[in-house]
Amino acid sequence: MEFSLSGTALKTFARSITCLARIGNELVLQSSSSQLCLHTLNSSRSAYQSITFKPDFFDVFSVSGSQVQCSVLLKAICSVLRTPVASIDHLAVQLADSDASKVQWALDCSNGMKKTYWITCNIEPDIQHLSLDRRKLPSSFVVRPRDLNRLLANFQSTLQEITIISTQQSALPLDAADQIGGKAVEFRSYIDPTKAKVKLQLLFSENDSSLHTQLWIDPAEEFVQYTHTRDPVDVTFGVRELKAFLSFCEGCEVDIHLYFDKAGEPILMAPKFGIDDGSFSNFDATLVLATMLVSQLRGGNSSEPPAATTAQQGTKGNTSEHPSDHTRIWSELSGSAVRYGNAAQDQPVPGERNQNTNEHTTIQRIGAMNISMDKNAGGVPVHGKDFHPAETDDTRRPEGSSKYADHSLSVLVKAHKLTLSCYNCSIETNGHAPSQHHPSNWIDAEEDDDDEGDDSELCVQSTPPYS
Amino acid sequence: MSSAAAVDTEADLVCELDSVRGIVDALCSVRWKRFQDALLELSQHGIVIIVEETGCLQAKVYLQRELFIKYDYAATGRPRFGVSLGLFIDCLNTFSVLGRSNVLELRYPGPDMQLMLRSVDSPDACIYAEIRTIIPETISWDYNFEPAGSTPLSFTVKSAALKEAIDDLEWPGSSIQISLQPSPPSVIFRGEGHGDLQIDFNYYVNTDLLIAFSCDRQVSHRYKYKFLRATTSNIPASVLKDNRGSKATIGRGGMLKIQHLVSVAKPSVPHPHIDSAGYQQPSRIAYIEFFVKPEVEEKNGCV
């Protein structure tokens, strides 16, 4: 395999390497006569990125035989590209064949220096290929990188995971006083409750969970395109990888197309080129991220978790449809209940307070109650108290799976007071028309009074004006 | 200072310099470790500062008397004394205030053989310092640099490029081989560790890069990376900005000599008649020399 490139293509190539280096540690180069594919899978197998280049992307491109491939450390390639791209005239890469022990990277610098690197290929590389058909992911949106940057700027820069809640855009005229009105998408910070608890114990934590943010977005204003014509779904995934891909798209001056299904299903990101996807460009990129198995909307009621490892998935998981997909809790929390649930406003939930003051109440229970509420017009929870979290304990972990499989309910039981109070608020405030300023959407000091005092540190204190 | 007149006759050297910043830059360039002792040697020609890593690497900074506004040398012979390099640099730094022209007087020896520093011409403050000196224990290892043959083996390269190459050569994690070959005329740096890296400077390709080249036969020697790195790691930014060249020469036995030029400019308004940024009056240059011994296999050479 031999290829060489310069100019803008070299800049794109360098940008690709930077992005890949932010995702995984090992880079696989696979070249055939029709393309060069670079891909990487992160160590926890929750993120996979692949970037492919067509032959005309390069100044020179030739492959001996049908396919040549090798695997190298991304750190080594980053060392090669330490030389500023602006001072490189051209880069040439040579690999004799798939069995070669080293791959040669030669830089001709504009100042006259010639630098030649020989990078050792990994023996017995773990070459995983993932192909996820984006057409199987029913929802998607397209956003400009600078707009997404601006939205993410509202979140703590150290935020590790984010939840995107997606609902159907309403076609009806909206009364802004009554509801959020057209803000069909919500971005919400996700703080791993186990890490939050650890912070209290250790005082020093990289996961500073002191800022929680919820952002309601009108897709018509913020997104270039938005497609979601079904029930509300949410996906929770890593911010680091999202930002890496965002930087990549920003540098390439293309919009980001994000495809998703629901919690537990992987999401896929790709650049959106011109009018026809891909036809105007000689390179393409795909980032597939695993999402958290537990939905933020219904507390893990989704059934058998599909394998969290994206490397094994080519199809959607085997989650079955549940009536819980219509849960009202979500509606109230994000405030677009008017479209979906009328019962929430009519039915007070007796005994709710008692349950919430019970330290062992799990989200699962609340979810179960709402399932019951759907089914029983009377609104009295039938299964609630008897529901055992163990029944949906998702502790089964496929080998090598990501941490997403760890979000079993037993974890949620221990340190979830924060989330509990969310649900607490939403259930109590039946009868109020949900709106962006709905109290249920704010976790404030009044609600804290209902909670156990010793757990109050986990509750987000309200900002001063509200206390 | 009423006793100044009396003290002057006793001092070996009283000198004044107006460009403390430049002297600090020159001294910083020979700083590769946190704690280093420097040997100062005074003569009628100027001051030489010698820093050494025992048996492996030596650096010299030449501050000619022309760099000083005043240079009163009254000693017989060449007094030598040692000071902590870091301490000396830190002390000089306290005297140099950015944006202000300040004159510093250096005096040796003081009543207790110390090195004395004093600010002169400062209207609102007087800064005064003394640095304890050490009797040098041993005469510094004589890095007697001798030419390798009748034709010198040397090349002059842009300092910035040399620094860039040496920085890149950290990656292989091995000692560095430097080769000169007459045809095609080129200098090759090579490291072979967990990965291999070769950097070529070709003379005919770009004469902006290799400013000068002299070589009549192929030579090749290996040098420990950390000592090679020390020769460029603290090159002052002014050297890189001024686009200066550094000269490297291979002497007998493979000893490598690397020379840099550091401008010791008075911090004043730019000269109206000079438009080239790199121009400096010749006497406003400090010379830095590094001597690196080649790596010797199986001998108790450099650690």
Side-chain angles (χ1 to χ4, degrees):
Chain A
M1 154 174 75
E2 188 182 327
F3 64 84
S4 103
L5 60 165
S6 56
T8 321
L10 180 58
K11 290 201 178 78
T12 304
F13 191 80
R15 210 175 291 124
S16 307
I17 297 290
T18 306
C19 186
L20 287 158
R22 287 167 77 171
I23 306 291
N25 295 325
E26 259 187 44
L27 177 70
V28 175
L29 291 95
Q30 277 177 323
S31 71
S32 65
S33 53
S34 61
Q35 66 176 28
L36 170 72
C37 179
L38 307 179
H39 56 93
T40 186
L41 179 67
N42 73 351
S43 49
S44 56
R45 299 163 93 86
S46 60
Y48 170 89
Q49 175 162 37
S50 107
I51 306 188
T52 52
F53 304 93
K54 298 270 188 323
D56 61 357
F57 179 81
F58 303 96
D59 297 337
V60 169
F61 185 82
S62 74
V63 181
S64 58
S66 58
Q67 199 191 48
V68 182
Q69 64 185 31
C70 72
S71 163
V72 291
L73 286 178
L74 270 161
K75 235 170 50 158
I77 314 288
C78 290
S79 297
V80 174
L81 293 173
R82 252 181 55 167
T83 309
V85 172
S87 59
I88 303 178
D89 275 348
H90 68 269
L91 162 70
V93 178
Q94 273 179 314
L95 177 70
D97 53 58
S98 298
D99 298 325
S101 58
K102 294 190 201 237
V103 50
Q104 177 183 307
W105 296 64
L107 301 174
D108 282 313
C109 300
S110 48
N111 63 6
M113 284 164 69
K114 187 174 156 84
K115 304 181 188 179
T116 313
Y117 292 78
W118 286 271
I119 296 174
T120 313
C121 298
N122 296 333
I123 310 164
E124 292 177 11
D126 177 27
I127 298 184
Q128 303 255 1
H129 222 312
L130 169 75
S131 60
L132 179 62
D133 188 354
R134 62 190 76 173
R135 291 168 299 187
K136 293 210 170 110
L137 300 168
S139 305
S140 74
F141 63 82
V142 177
V143 64
R144 278 184 278 267
R146 65 166 189 269
D147 291 337
L148 185 57
N149 247 332
R150 182 172 41 81
L151 295 171
L152 289 178
N154 290 296
F155 294 82
Q156 194 162 15
S157 56
T158 52
L159 184 68
Q160 297 191 0
E161 280 147 329
I162 195 167
T163 304
I164 297 183
I165 299 173
S166 185
T167 71
Q168 191 162 341
Q169 270 177 303
S170 173
L172 303 171
L174 306 158
D175 182 352
D178 284 344
Q179 52 191 296
I180 287 191
K183 293 196 166 40
V185 174
E186 179 189 343
F187 282 18
R188 187 195 300 178
S189 56
Y190 175 79
I191 310 292
D192 188 334
T194 51
K195 288 182 189 165
K197 188 170 162 114
V198 165
K199 181 194 177 182
L200 293 180
Q201 291 168 351
L202 297 181
L203 290 181
F204 298 103
S205 167
E206 286 161 11
N207 186 27
D208 183 357
S209 54
S210 54
L211 178 66
H212 298 252
T213 310
Q214 289 170 283
L215 195 65
W216 288 267
I217 295 163
D218 179 359
E221 284 175 12
E222 304 289 351
F223 296 158
V224 174
Q225 238 183 63
Y226 178 66
T227 308
H228 182 84
T229 52
R230 50 196 183 115
D231 294 325
V233 297
D234 72 301
V235 285
T236 304
F237 55 91
V239 175
R240 204 175 74 104
E241 290 82 10
L242 172 65
K243 284 185 174 170
F245 197 72
L246 198 161
S247 295
F248 174 73
C249 288
E250 197 169 21
C252 298
E253 294 174 357
V254 289
D255 295 343
I256 304 169
H257 203 147
L258 201 146
Y259 302 82
F260 56 100
D261 184 3
K262 60 182 172 200
E265 300 295 329
I267 62 168
L268 186 151
M269 289 182 232
K272 176 117 178 127
F273 296 105
I275 301 161
D276 303 341
D277 265 349
S279 64
F280 282 73
S281 163
N282 47 18
F283 76 95
D284 195 11
T286 316
L287 175 64
V288 178
L289 296 180
T291 62
M292 229 175 72
L293 292 169
V294 175
S295 165
Q296 298 308 294
L297 303 182
R298 54 199 77 87
N301 245 352
S302 50
S303 66
E304 312 282 313
T309 60
T310 59
Q312 295 155 22
Q313 281 187 34
T315 61
K316 287 200 297 190
N318 53 352
T319 49
S320 52
E321 291 304 300
H322 259 258
S324 60
D325 287 352
H326 305 279
T327 178
R328 238 167 285 121
I329 272 197
W330 171 82
S331 313
E332 297 198 10
L333 198 58
S334 315
S336 39
V338 169
R339 293 197 283 285
Y340 290 102
N342 304 317
Q345 292 158 357
D346 315 333
Q347 297 168 16
V349 183
E352 199 47 50
R353 242 176 227 278
N354 295 337
Q355 288 197 326
N356 284 331
T357 54
N358 179 351
E359 215 173 330
H360 298 296
T361 304
T362 66
I363 296 189
Q364 185 57 39
R365 277 183 160 179
I366 296 169
M369 281 184 300
N370 284 299
I371 297 169
S372 316
M373 286 199 302
D374 275 331
K375 292 177 180 165
N376 307 313
V380 176
V382 170
H383 305 295
K385 290 191 180 117
D386 298 326
F387 199 92
H388 297 296
E391 289 175 29
T392 57
D393 192 352
D394 300 333
T395 47
R396 276 168 296 129
R397 278 169 235 165
E399 201 179 272
S401 69
S402 75
K403 69 174 182 87
Y404 291 99
D406 289 341
H407 287 279
S408 60
L409 292 169
S410 54
V411 164
L412 287 170
V413 168
K414 289 185 188 110
H416 62 18
K417 208 56 184 192
L418 163 69
T419 328
L420 246 194
S421 52
C422 276
Y423 286 93
N424 185 16
C425 307
S426 63
I427 292 158
E428 283 174 5
T429 53
N430 295 316
H432 295 281
S435 77
Q436 191 172 7
H437 303 291
H438 195 279
S440 72
N441 294 322
W442 296 95
I443 301 151
D444 59 25
E446 292 151 41
E447 256 59 53
D448 286 347
D449 296 339
D450 301 324
D451 300 331
E452 301 296 326
D454 50 68
D455 278 330
S456 59
E457 299 92 345
L458 276 173
C459 291
V460 172
Q461 301 302 315
S462 63
T463 53
Y466 288 94
S467 56
Chain B
M1 307 271 265
S2 54
S3 58
V7 173
D8 272 347
T9 56
E10 296 167 14
D12 288 341
L13 172 67
V14 180
C15 58
E16 286 181 10
L17 53 93
D18 62 354
S19 48
V20 182
R21 193 76 247 137
I23 303 291
V24 169
D25 281 349
L27 291 175
C28 281
S29 64
V30 298
R31 217 183 166 182
W32 60 83
K33 268 189 348 188
R34 203 170 142 73
F35 298 110
Q36 285 172 277
D37 283 331
L39 176 77
L40 270 76
E41 185 179 277
L42 312 178
S43 74
Q44 60 194 353
H45 305 295
I47 302 177
V48 182
I49 297 109
I50 304 165
V51 184
E52 199 175 301
E53 181 95 16
T54 319
C56 308
L57 171 68
Q58 187 187 68
K60 289 183 175 174
V61 180
Y62 294 90
L63 303 175
Q64 304 159 281
R65 68 182 297 155
E66 287 78 16
L67 292 177
F68 299 87
I69 305 172
K70 172 175 145 183
Y71 195 87
D72 294 339
Y73 186 76
T76 51
R78 294 187 171 201
R80 296 166 134 224
F81 57 90
V83 290
S84 154
L85 180 65
L87 202 62
F88 188 29
I89 292 175
D90 289 345
C91 184
L92 287 172
N93 265 325
T94 60
F95 284 86
S96 78
V97 178
L98 283 173
R100 279 181 56 182
S101 168
N102 37 39
V103 177
L104 169 66
E105 179 196 87
L106 282 167
R107 180 187 293 266
Y108 178 82
D112 204 11
M113 299 306 282
Q114 66 275 60
L115 177 66
M116 294 163 61
L117 301 94
R118 183 168 71 99
S119 68
V120 173
D121 283 358
S122 181
D124 44 7
C126 176
I127 311 176
Y128 170 85
E130 294 177 8
I131 303 179
R132 291 210 175 282
T133 61
I134 322 164
I135 300 169
E137 289 169 358
T138 53
I139 294 178
S140 67
W141 193 86
D142 194 8
Y143 283 72
N144 194 16
F145 185 84
E146 289 173 24
S150 52
T151 311
L153 296 166
S154 72
F155 61 92
T156 305
V157 64
K158 281 271 150 61
S159 305
L162 181 66
K163 181 175 161 64
E164 184 185 325
I166 293 180
D167 285 348
D168 287 341
L169 285 161
E170 183 181 13
W171 175 72
S174 71
S175 59
I176 305 301
Q177 180 185 50
I178 301 181
S179 313
L180 269 72
Q181 61 188 32
S183 81
S186 56
V187 183
I188 298 168
F189 289 74
R190 196 176 166 104
E192 289 174 6
H194 59 254
D196 305 342
L197 170 58
Q198 177 169 312
I199 301 184
D200 296 46
F201 294 80
N202 291 307
Y203 186 45
Y204 60 79
V205 164
N206 189 335
T207 48
D208 279 348
L209 180 68
L210 268 189
I211 301 159
F213 183 81
S214 163
C215 168
D216 61 347
R217 66 188 187 283
Q218 175 148 20
V219 284
S220 182
H221 293 281
R222 305 195 77 90
Y223 304 90
K224 225 173 173 60
Y225 179 72
K226 69 174 179 183
F227 300 132
L228 204 59
R229 175 71 178 251
T231 66
T232 56
S233 57
N234 286 318
I235 290 182
S238 60
V239 170
L240 306 175
K241 217 165 37 129
D242 291 348
N243 228 6
R244 294 197 178 279
S246 297
K247 181 172 176 185
T249 313
I250 296 183
R252 190 146 57 146
M255 175 97 77
L256 176 68
K257 174 165 85 168
I258 295 188
Q259 294 165 288
H260 304 301
L261 306 173
V262 176
S263 92
V264 178
K266 188 166 140 70
S268 60
V269 293
H271 198 294
H273 301 309
I274 296 169
D275 33 38
S276 162
Y279 177 82
Q280 283 294 338
Q281 298 170 31
S283 59
R284 307 294 290 181
I285 305 277
Y287 295 88
I288 320 280
E289 282 181 353
F290 285 91
F291 298 93
V292 188
K293 286 179 76 178
E295 210 175 45
V296 179
E297 284 137 30
E298 293 173 356
K299 284 194 184 167
N300 55 343
C302 312
V303 178

